Amino acid sequence: MSTALPVPELNPVARMMFPRAQDMIDQRICPQCGEKIDPVDGFRDGLSMKEYMISGLCQSCLDSVSGDDQP
């Protein structure tokens, strides 16, 4: 991908459930694994970028959650 994505904003329910997650997302850190996220080239496709904007998860964690990391 060639355009940097904006920083995702978690919805109020997610903020209540995971209060530190938005702080991590603001720093471009995946709230699940703690890895730094590349907002320019860190995602495989448009769907992954959309999912990132909802959850703040990196591509590896998105793959893990969706089952795409299975052989």
Side-chain angles (χ1 to χ4, degrees):
M1 301 291 119
S2 59
T3 305
L5 295 170
V7 173
E9 289 289 327
L10 294 179
N11 68 48
V13 174
R15 283 176 182 254
M16 275 189 354
M17 293 173 62
F18 309 103
R20 291 186 51 229
Q22 188 65 54
D23 292 335
M24 294 178 77
I25 291 168
D26 290 344
Q27 297 174 51
R28 301 279 191 186
I29 297 171
C30 177
Q32 183 164 317
C33 71
E35 292 294 318
K36 189 77 174 156
I37 293 173
D38 178 351
V40 176
D41 294 316
F43 298 95
R44 166 180 320 123
D45 54 28
L47 180 59
S48 295
M49 289 187 287
K50 286 180 184 179
E51 290 293 336
Y52 166 69
M53 292 305 299
I54 294 168
S55 66
L57 298 180
C58 68
Q59 184 69 59
S60 294
C61 288
L62 289 172
D63 289 345
S64 178
V65 168
S66 69
D68 286 348
D69 64 342
Q70 301 300 315

Coordinates of all heavy atoms in Angstrom, one line a residue:
M1 N 0.8 -1.2 0.0 CA 0.0 0.0 0.0 C 0.9 1.2 0.0 O 2.0 1.2 0.5 CB -0.9 0.0 1.2 CG -1.8 -1.2 1.4 SD -3.1 -1.3 0.1 CE -2.7 -2.8 -0.7
S2 N 0.4 2.3 -0.5 CA 1.3 3.5 -0.6 C 0.8 4.7 0.2 O 1.5 5.7 0.2 CB 1.3 3.9 -2.1 OG 0.1 4.2 -2.6
T3 N -0.3 4.7 0.8 CA -0.8 5.8 1.6 C -0.9 5.5 3.0 O -1.4 4.5 3.4 CB -2.2 6.2 1.1 OG1 -2.2 6.5 -0.3 CG2 -2.7 7.5 1.7
A4 N -0.4 6.4 3.9 CA -0.5 6.2 5.3 C -1.9 6.3 5.8 O -2.7 7.1 5.4 CB 0.4 7.2 6.0
L5 N -2.3 5.3 6.6 CA -3.6 5.3 7.2 C -3.7 6.2 8.4 O -2.8 6.4 9.2 CB -4.0 3.9 7.6 CG -4.1 2.9 6.5 CD1 -4.2 1.5 7.1 CD2 -5.3 3.1 5.7
P6 N -4.9 6.8 8.7 CA -5.1 7.6 9.9 C -5.0 6.6 11.1 O -5.2 5.4 11.0 CB -6.4 8.2 9.7 CG -7.1 7.5 8.7 CD -6.1 6.8 7.8
V7 N -4.9 7.2 12.3 CA -4.9 6.4 13.5 C -6.3 6.0 13.8 O -7.2 6.9 13.8 CB -4.3 7.2 14.7 CG1 -4.5 6.5 16.0 CG2 -2.9 7.5 14.4
P8 N -6.6 4.7 14.0 CA -8.0 4.3 14.3 C -8.5 4.8 15.6 O -7.7 5.0 16.5 CB -7.8 2.7 14.4 CG -6.6 2.4 13.7 CD -5.7 3.6 13.8
E9 N -9.8 5.0 15.7 CA -10.4 5.4 16.9 C -11.4 4.3 17.3 O -12.3 4.0 16.6 CB -11.2 6.7 16.7 CG -10.4 7.9 16.5 CD -9.7 8.4 17.8 OE1 -10.2 8.2 18.9 OE2 -8.5 8.9 17.7
L10 N -11.1 3.7 18.5 CA -12.0 2.6 19.0 C -13.3 3.2 19.4 O -13.4 4.3 19.8 CB -11.3 1.9 20.2 CG -10.0 1.2 19.9 CD1 -9.5 0.6 21.2 CD2 -10.3 0.1 18.9
N11 N -14.4 2.4 19.3 CA -15.7 2.8 19.7 C -15.7 2.9 21.2 O -14.9 2.3 21.9 CB -16.8 2.0 19.1 CG -16.8 0.6 19.6 OD1 -16.8 0.3 20.8 ND2 -16.9 -0.4 18.7
P12 N -16.7 3.5 21.8 CA -16.8 3.7 23.3 C -16.8 2.4 24.0 O -16.2 2.3 25.1 CB -18.1 4.5 23.5 CG -18.2 5.3 22.2 CD -17.7 4.4 21.1
V13 N -17.5 1.4 23.5 CA -17.6 0.1 24.2 C -16.2 -0.6 24.2 O -15.8 -1.0 25.3 CB -18.6 -0.8 23.5 CG1 -18.6 -2.2 24.2 CG2 -20.0 -0.2 23.6
A14 N -15.5 -0.5 23.1 CA -14.1 -1.1 23.1 C -13.2 -0.4 24.0 O -12.4 -1.0 24.7 CB -13.6 -1.1 21.7
R15 N -13.4 0.9 24.1 CA -12.5 1.8 25.0 C -12.8 1.4 26.5 O -11.9 1.3 27.3 CB -12.8 3.2 24.8 CG -12.2 3.8 23.6 CD -12.6 5.3 23.5 NE -12.0 5.9 22.3 CZ -11.0 6.7 22.3 NH1 -10.4 7.1 23.4 NH2 -10.6 7.2 21.2
M16 N -14.0 1.1 26.8 CA -14.4 0.7 28.2 C -13.8 -0.7 28.5 O -13.2 -0.9 29.6 CB -15.9 0.6 28.4 CG -16.5 2.0 28.8 SD -18.2 1.9 29.3 CE -18.8 0.3 29.0
M17 N -13.9 -1.6 27.5 CA -13.4 -3.0 27.7 C -11.9 -3.0 27.7 O -11.3 -3.9 28.5 CB -13.9 -3.9 26.7 CG -15.4 -4.1 26.8 SD -16.1 -5.0 25.4 CE -15.3 -6.6 25.6
F18 N -11.2 -2.2 26.9 CA -9.8 -2.2 26.8 C -9.2 -0.8 26.9 O -8.8 -0.2 25.9 CB -9.4 -2.8 25.4 CG -10.0 -4.2 25.2 CD1 -11.1 -4.2 24.3 CD2 -9.6 -5.3 25.8 CE1 -11.7 -5.5 24.0 CE2 -10.2 -6.5 25.5 CZ -11.3 -6.6 24.7
P19 N -9.2 -0.3 28.1 CA -8.8 1.1 28.3 C -7.4 1.5 27.8 O -7.2 2.7 27.4 CB -8.9 1.3 29.8 CG -9.0 0.0 30.4 CD -9.4 -1.0 29.4
R20 N -6.5 0.6 27.8 CA -5.1 1.0 27.3 C -4.9 0.8 25.8 O -4.0 1.3 25.2 CB -4.1 0.1 28.0 CG -4.0 0.4 29.5 CD -2.8 -0.3 30.2 NE -1.6 -0.2 29.5 CZ -0.8 -1.2 29.2 NH1 -1.1 -2.4 29.6 NH2 0.3 -1.0 28.5
A21 N -5.9 0.2 25.2 CA -5.8 -0.1 23.8 C -5.6 1.1 22.9 O -4.8 1.2 22.0 CB -6.9 -1.0 23.3
Q22 N -6.4 2.2 23.2 CA -6.4 3.4 22.3 C -5.0 4.0 22.5 O -4.5 4.5 21.5 CB -7.5 4.3 22.7 CG -7.5 5.5 21.7 CD -7.9 5.1 20.3 OE1 -8.9 4.5 20.1 NE2 -7.1 5.5 19.3
D23 N -4.4 4.0 23.7 CA -3.1 4.6 23.8 C -2.1 3.9 23.0 O -1.2 4.5 22.3 CB -2.6 4.5 25.3 CG -3.4 5.4 26.2 OD1 -4.0 6.4 25.7 OD2 -3.5 5.1 27.4
M24 N -2.2 2.5 22.9 CA -1.3 1.8 22.1 C -1.5 2.1 20.6 O -0.5 2.3 19.8 CB -1.4 0.3 22.4 CG -1.0 -0.1 23.7 SD -1.2 -1.9 24.1 CE 0.2 -2.6 23.2
I25 N -2.8 2.1 20.2 CA -3.1 2.4 18.8 C -2.6 3.8 18.4 O -2.1 3.9 17.3 CB -4.6 2.2 18.6 CG1 -5.0 0.8 18.7 CG2 -5.0 2.8 17.2 CD1 -6.5 0.5 18.8
D26 N -2.7 4.7 19.3 CA -2.2 6.1 19.0 C -0.7 6.1 18.7 O -0.3 7.0 18.0 CB -2.5 7.0 20.2 CG -4.0 7.3 20.4 OD1 -4.8 7.1 19.4 OD2 -4.4 7.8 21.4
Q27 N 0.0 5.2 19.3 CA 1.4 5.0 19.0 C 1.8 4.1 17.9 O 2.9 3.8 17.7 CB 2.1 4.5 20.3 CG 1.9 5.5 21.5 CD 2.5 4.9 22.8 OE1 3.6 4.4 22.8 NE2 1.7 4.9 23.8
R28 N 0.7 3.6 17.2 CA 0.9 2.7 16.1 C 1.5 1.4 16.6 O 2.3 0.7 15.9 CB 1.8 3.2 15.0 CG 1.2 4.5 14.3 CD 0.2 4.2 13.3 NE -0.1 5.5 12.6 CZ -1.1 5.6 11.7 NH1 -1.8 4.6 11.5 NH2 -1.3 6.7 11.1
I29 N 1.0 0.9 17.7 CA 1.4 -0.4 18.3 C 0.2 -1.3 18.4 O -0.9 -0.8 18.8 CB 2.0 -0.2 19.7 CG1 3.3 0.7 19.6 CG2 2.3 -1.5 20.4 CD1 3.9 1.1 21.0
C30 N 0.3 -2.5 17.9 CA -0.8 -3.4 17.9 C -1.2 -3.7 19.3 O -0.3 -4.2 20.1 CB -0.4 -4.7 17.2 SG -1.7 -6.0 17.2
P31 N -2.5 -3.5 19.7 CA -2.9 -3.8 21.1 C -2.9 -5.3 21.5 O -3.0 -5.6 22.6 CB -4.3 -3.2 21.1 CG -4.8 -3.1 19.8 CD -3.5 -3.0 18.9
Q32 N -2.8 -6.1 20.5 CA -2.8 -7.6 20.8 C -1.4 -8.1 21.0 O -1.2 -8.8 22.0 CB -3.6 -8.4 19.7 CG -3.7 -9.8 20.0 CD -4.7 -10.5 19.2 OE1 -5.8 -10.0 18.9 NE2 -4.3 -11.7 18.7
C33 N -0.5 -7.8 20.1 CA 0.8 -8.4 20.1 C 1.9 -7.5 20.6 O 3.0 -7.9 20.9 CB 1.2 -9.1 18.8 SG 1.5 -7.9 17.5
G34 N 1.7 -6.2 20.5 CA 2.7 -5.2 20.9 C 3.7 -4.8 19.8 O 4.6 -4.0 20.1
E35 N 3.5 -5.3 18.6 CA 4.4 -5.0 17.5 C 4.1 -3.6 16.9 O 2.9 -3.2 16.9 CB 4.3 -6.0 16.4 CG 4.9 -7.4 16.8 CD 6.4 -7.4 17.1 OE1 7.1 -6.7 16.3 OE2 6.8 -8.0 18.1
K36 N 5.1 -2.9 16.4 CA 4.9 -1.6 15.8 C 4.2 -1.9 14.4 O 4.5 -2.8 13.7 CB 6.3 -1.0 15.5 CG 6.3 0.4 15.1 CD 5.9 1.4 16.2 CE 6.0 2.8 15.7 NZ 5.2 3.7 16.4
I37 N 3.3 -1.0 14.1 CA 2.5 -1.1 12.8 C 3.0 -0.1 11.8 O 3.2 1.1 12.1 CB 1.0 -0.9 13.1 CG1 0.5 -2.0 14.0 CG2 0.2 -0.8 11.8 CD1 -0.9 -1.9 14.4
D38 N 3.3 -0.5 10.6 CA 3.6 0.3 9.5 C 2.4 0.8 8.8 O 1.7 0.0 8.1 CB 4.5 -0.4 8.5 CG 4.9 0.4 7.3 OD1 4.4 1.5 7.1 OD2 5.8 -0.1 6.5
P39 N 1.9 2.0 9.0 CA 0.7 2.5 8.4 C 0.7 2.7 6.9 O -0.3 2.9 6.3 CB 0.4 3.8 9.1 CG 1.7 4.3 9.4 CD 2.6 3.1 9.7
V40 N 1.9 2.6 6.3 CA 2.0 2.7 4.8 C 2.0 1.4 4.1 O 1.2 1.2 3.2 CB 3.3 3.5 4.5 CG1 3.4 3.6 3.0 CG2 3.2 4.9 5.1
D41 N 2.8 0.5 4.5 CA 3.0 -0.8 3.8 C 2.7 -2.0 4.7 O 3.1 -3.1 4.4 CB 4.4 -0.9 3.3 CG 4.7 0.1 2.2 OD1 3.8 0.3 1.3 OD2 5.8 0.7 2.2
G42 N 2.0 -1.8 5.8 CA 1.8 -2.9 6.8 C 0.6 -3.8 6.5 O 0.4 -4.7 7.3
F43 N -0.2 -3.5 5.5 CA -1.4 -4.3 5.2 C -1.4 -4.9 3.8 O -1.0 -4.2 2.9 CB -2.6 -3.5 5.6 CG -2.6 -3.1 7.0 CD1 -2.1 -1.9 7.4 CD2 -3.1 -4.0 8.0 CE1 -2.0 -1.5 8.8 CE2 -3.0 -3.6 9.3 CZ -2.5 -2.4 9.7
R44 N -2.0 -6.1 3.7 CA -2.0 -6.8 2.5 C -3.0 -6.2 1.5 O -2.7 -6.3 0.3 CB -2.4 -8.3 2.8 CG -2.8 -9.1 1.7 CD -3.2 -10.6 2.1 NE -2.3 -11.1 3.1 CZ -2.7 -11.5 4.3 NH1 -4.0 -11.5 4.6 NH2 -1.8 -12.0 5.2
D45 N -4.2 -5.8 1.9 CA -5.2 -5.3 1.0 C -6.1 -4.3 1.7 O -6.0 -4.0 2.8 CB -6.0 -6.5 0.4 CG -6.5 -7.4 1.5 OD1 -6.8 -6.9 2.6 OD2 -6.7 -8.6 1.3
G46 N -7.1 -3.9 0.9 CA -8.1 -2.9 1.4 C -8.9 -3.4 2.6 O -9.2 -2.7 3.5
L47 N -9.3 -4.7 2.5 CA -10.1 -5.3 3.6 C -9.3 -5.3 4.9 O -9.8 -4.9 6.0 CB -10.5 -6.7 3.3 CG -11.4 -7.4 4.3 CD1 -12.6 -6.6 4.6 CD2 -11.7 -8.8 3.9
S48 N -8.0 -5.6 4.8 CA -7.1 -5.6 6.0 C -7.0 -4.1 6.6 O -7.1 -4.0 7.8 CB -5.8 -6.1 5.7 OG -5.8 -7.5 5.3
M49 N -6.9 -3.2 5.7 CA -6.9 -1.8 6.1 C -8.2 -1.4 6.8 O -8.1 -0.7 7.9 CB -6.5 -0.8 5.0 CG -5.1 -1.0 4.5 SD -4.7 0.2 3.2 CE -5.6 -0.4 1.8
K50 N -9.3 -1.8 6.3 CA -10.6 -1.5 6.9 C -10.7 -2.1 8.3 O -11.1 -1.5 9.3 CB -11.7 -2.0 6.1 CG -12.0 -1.1 4.8 CD -13.1 -1.6 4.0 CE -13.3 -0.8 2.8 NZ -14.4 -1.3 1.9
E51 N -10.2 -3.4 8.4 CA -10.2 -4.1 9.7 C -9.3 -3.4 10.7 O -9.6 -3.2 11.9 CB -9.8 -5.5 9.5 CG -10.8 -6.4 8.8 CD -12.1 -6.5 9.6 OE1 -12.1 -6.4 10.9 OE2 -13.2 -6.8 9.0
Y52 N -8.2 -2.9 10.2 CA -7.2 -2.1 11.1 C -7.9 -0.9 11.6 O -7.8 -0.6 12.8 CB -6.0 -1.8 10.3 CG -5.1 -0.7 11.0 CD1 -4.4 -1.0 12.1 CD2 -5.0 0.6 10.4 CE1 -3.7 0.0 12.8 CE2 -4.2 1.5 11.0 CZ -3.6 1.2 12.2 OH -2.8 2.2 12.8
M53 N -8.7 -0.2 10.8 CA -9.4 1.0 11.2 C -10.4 0.8 12.2 O -10.8 1.6 13.0 CB -10.0 1.8 10.0 CG -8.9 2.3 9.0 SD -7.7 3.4 9.8 CE -8.7 4.7 10.4
I54 N -10.9 -0.5 12.3 CA -11.9 -0.9 13.4 C -11.2 -1.3 14.6 O -11.6 -0.9 15.7 CB -12.8 -2.0 12.8 CG1 -13.7 -1.5 11.7 CG2 -13.7 -2.5 13.9 CD1 -14.4 -2.5 10.9
S55 N -10.2 -2.1 14.5 CA -9.6 -2.8 15.7 C -8.3 -2.3 16.1 O -7.9 -2.4 17.2 CB -9.5 -4.3 15.3 OG -8.5 -4.5 14.3
G56 N -7.5 -1.7 15.1 CA -6.1 -1.3 15.5 C -5.1 -2.4 15.4 O -4.0 -2.3 15.8
L57 N -5.5 -3.7 15.0 CA -4.7 -4.8 15.0 C -3.7 -4.8 13.7 O -4.1 -4.3 12.7 CB -5.5 -6.1 15.0 CG -6.4 -6.4 16.2 CD1 -7.1 -7.7 16.0 CD2 -5.6 -6.4 17.5
C58 N -2.5 -5.4 13.9 CA -1.6 -5.5 12.8 C -2.0 -6.6 11.9 O -2.9 -7.4 12.2 CB -0.2 -5.8 13.4 SG 0.0 -7.4 14.1
Q59 N -1.4 -6.7 10.7 CA -1.8 -7.8 9.7 C -1.6 -9.2 10.3 O -2.5 -10.0 10.1 CB -0.9 -7.6 8.5 CG -1.3 -8.6 7.4 CD -2.6 -8.3 6.8 OE1 -2.8 -7.2 6.2 NE2 -3.6 -9.2 6.8
S60 N -0.6 -9.4 11.1 CA -0.4 -10.8 11.6 C -1.5 -11.1 12.6 O -2.0 -12.3 12.6 CB 0.9 -10.9 12.4 OG 2.0 -10.8 11.5
C61 N -1.9 -10.2 13.4 CA -3.0 -10.5 14.4 C -4.3 -10.6 13.7 O -5.2 -11.4 14.0 CB -3.0 -9.4 15.5 SG -1.6 -9.6 16.6
L62 N -4.5 -9.8 12.6 CA -5.8 -9.9 11.8 C -5.8 -11.3 11.2 O -6.9 -11.9 11.2 CB -5.8 -8.8 10.7 CG -6.1 -7.4 11.2 CD1 -5.9 -6.4 10.0 CD2 -7.4 -7.2 11.8
D63 N -4.7 -11.7 10.7 CA -4.7 -13.1 10.1 C -5.0 -14.2 11.1 O -5.7 -15.1 10.9 CB -3.3 -13.4 9.5 CG -3.1 -12.6 8.2 OD1 -4.0 -12.0 7.6 OD2 -1.9 -12.5 7.8
S64 N -4.5 -14.0 12.3 CA -4.7 -14.9 13.4 C -6.1 -15.0 13.8 O -6.7 -16.1 14.0 CB -3.8 -14.6 14.6 OG -4.0 -15.5 15.6
V65 N -6.7 -13.8 14.0 CA -8.1 -13.7 14.4 C -9.1 -14.3 13.3 O -10.0 -15.0 13.6 CB -8.5 -12.3 14.7 CG1 -10.0 -12.1 14.9 CG2 -7.8 -11.8 15.9
S66 N -8.7 -14.1 12.1 CA -9.6 -14.5 11.0 C -9.3 -15.9 10.5 O -10.1 -16.5 9.8 CB -9.5 -13.6 9.7 OG -8.2 -13.8 9.1
G67 N -8.3 -16.5 11.0 CA -7.9 -17.9 10.6 C -7.1 -18.0 9.4 O -6.8 -19.1 8.9
D68 N -6.7 -16.8 8.8 CA -5.9 -16.8 7.6 C -4.5 -17.3 7.8 O -3.7 -17.5 6.8 CB -5.8 -15.4 7.0 CG -7.2 -15.0 6.3 OD1 -8.0 -15.9 6.1 OD2 -7.3 -13.9 6.0
D69 N -4.1 -17.5 9.1 CA -2.7 -18.0 9.3 C -2.6 -19.5 9.4 O -1.6 -20.1 9.6 CB -2.1 -17.4 10.6 CG -2.9 -17.8 11.8 OD1 -4.1 -18.3 11.7 OD2 -2.4 -17.6 12.9
Q70 N -3.8 -20.2 9.1 CA -3.8 -21.6 9.1 C -3.2 -22.2 7.9 O -3.4 -21.6 6.8 CB -5.3 -22.1 9.3 CG -5.9 -21.6 10.6 CD -5.2 -22.0 11.8 OE1 -4.8 -23.2 12.0 NE2 -5.0 -21.1 12.7
P71 N -2.5 -23.3 7.9 CA -1.9 -23.9 6.7 C -3.0 -24.4 5.7 O -4.0 -24.7 6.0 CB -1.1 -25.1 7.2 CG -1.3 -25.2 8.7 CD -2.2 -24.0 9.1

